[in-house]
Amino acid sequence: MKRIKIILALLIVFFVTRSIAQQLGSGHEKLRKDLTQIIKPFKAKVGIVIISIEDSAVIAINNNHHYPMLSVYKFPLALAVLDKVDKGTVSLQQKIKITAEDLNANTWSPLRTKYPEGNIEMSIAELLDYTVSQSDNNTCDILFRFLGGTMQVNNYIHGLGVSQISIAATEEEMSKSWEVQYTNWTEPLAMANLLEGFYHGVYLSDSSTHFLMKLMVESSNSVNRLKKYLPEHVVLAHKTGTSNTNKKGMAAAVNDVGIVTLPDGRHLAITVFVSDTYEKFETNEVIIANIAKATLNHFMSR
């Protein structure tokens, strides 16, 4: 009960501060203009939110839209799993049996590549590693089933006070119909709020926060988005999301969200969602990379 009260108090302060901070940020107007110019030429919907975590300043561009998350939703899934770990109902060492039927052949899955016949047991920790660090779609769905479905994760996230996120469909369900991927959506600010709360340790224990942060830092997900132009001494913990392209040449999503640790110890939560884009895949990644570069230059100069 004491822990619940502490969390509720932190959440109240957190979101009141956010409301106030959104009315400020005049010192970041140049960055807002620079980012607007970066995205202006492209035939895509681009949503950006940057939170300077230490002072709660917010830069938001095109936030009021439901952007499909794709694999970005594996970050809130991991939060939900680790919440169970913290409550003692699940152990990171707990094993789950994986059969051939669990390994969809028509999806991205490094696990299936390594164990095409299944018939293995993997710990929760290993499944989270595959899901977050390698963005494995099969292990993602295994964890959804383990928790009781997408609605359980959706309810958990909303219970944290972050409501502008919808988690409705598994990876397998998304693969069967183009429109289904749009049921898993977020507003960029909601995802940035989730990242900031995670960084502050509001949601998870210190050990679970550290574990997930490590998975996100060690991620083998695309290095050509937020990470592309970041110097080696800048640390990024992130999660990407990528859709297919339809017959009209439109991609539903090329995304990247994360927490940047600057050399002086300051932190930025950055969410970039490129949606309904007719640009080439490489161009979409460069849009995100240039947004990160401009953001880094702005904050490093202050």
Side-chain angles (χ1 to χ4, degrees), residues 98-294:
I98 300 171
T99 67
E101 289 71 28
D102 294 318
L103 300 176
N104 182 354
N106 299 313
T107 194
W108 169 255
S109 181
L111 179 67
R112 188 198 66 245
T113 301
K114 188 173 183 179
Y115 302 104
E117 302 303 322
N119 195 30
I120 57 171
E121 288 189 345
M122 298 201 76
S123 69
I124 298 294
E126 291 172 311
L127 290 170
L128 284 169
D129 190 352
Y130 270 98
T131 300
V132 176
S133 294
Q134 301 182 56
S135 206
D136 192 298
N137 291 337
N138 282 322
T139 59
C140 172
D141 283 357
I142 289 168
L143 288 173
F144 271 129
R145 288 193 292 273
F146 179 74
L147 291 181
T150 55
M151 188 56 65
Q152 297 299 319
V153 179
N154 190 69
N155 291 342
Y156 164 73
I157 296 300
H158 288 191
L160 299 178
V162 183
S163 61
Q164 293 304 307
I165 292 178
S166 172
I167 299 172
T170 64
E171 289 284 355
E172 183 178 6
E173 289 168 338
M174 284 196 288
S175 70
K176 291 179 178 179
S177 171
W178 177 264
E179 294 301 323
V180 172
Q181 63 194 323
Y182 288 91
T183 66
N184 295 322
W185 57 262
T186 186
E187 291 184 358
L189 180 59
M191 187 57 65
N193 283 337
L194 199 65
L195 286 163
E196 185 180 17
F198 162 65
Y199 169 78
H200 280 304
V202 174
Y203 311 136
L204 303 175
S205 67
D206 289 347
S207 59
S208 288
T209 299
H210 176 77
F211 175 73
L212 181 51
M213 186 73 77
K214 184 173 183 288
L215 294 183
M216 294 170 72
V217 169
E218 295 176 351
S219 170
S220 60
N221 300 166
S222 176
V223 297
N224 292 318
R225 301 181 196 180
L226 289 178
K227 198 169 185 177
K228 183 177 178 67
Y229 297 128
L230 297 185
E232 290 185 3
H233 57 286
V234 174
V235 179
L236 172 67
H238 72 132
K239 186 70 201 77
T240 58
T242 310
S243 77
N244 293 324
T245 301
N246 66 15
K247 294 178 181 179
K248 296 180 180 179
M250 185 186 78
V254 180
N255 307 324
D256 204 356
V257 310
I259 298 168
V260 174
T261 302
L262 300 175
D264 62 6
R266 288 178 296 162
H267 299 85
L268 306 172
I270 302 180
T271 62
V272 185
F273 294 88
V274 182
S275 179
D276 295 349
T277 173
Y278 289 87
E279 305 296 337
K280 294 180 180 178
F281 176 76
E282 293 78 12
T283 301
N284 295 318
E285 291 202 309
V286 168
I287 292 170
I288 297 173
N290 284 337
I291 287 168
K293 182 179 180 180

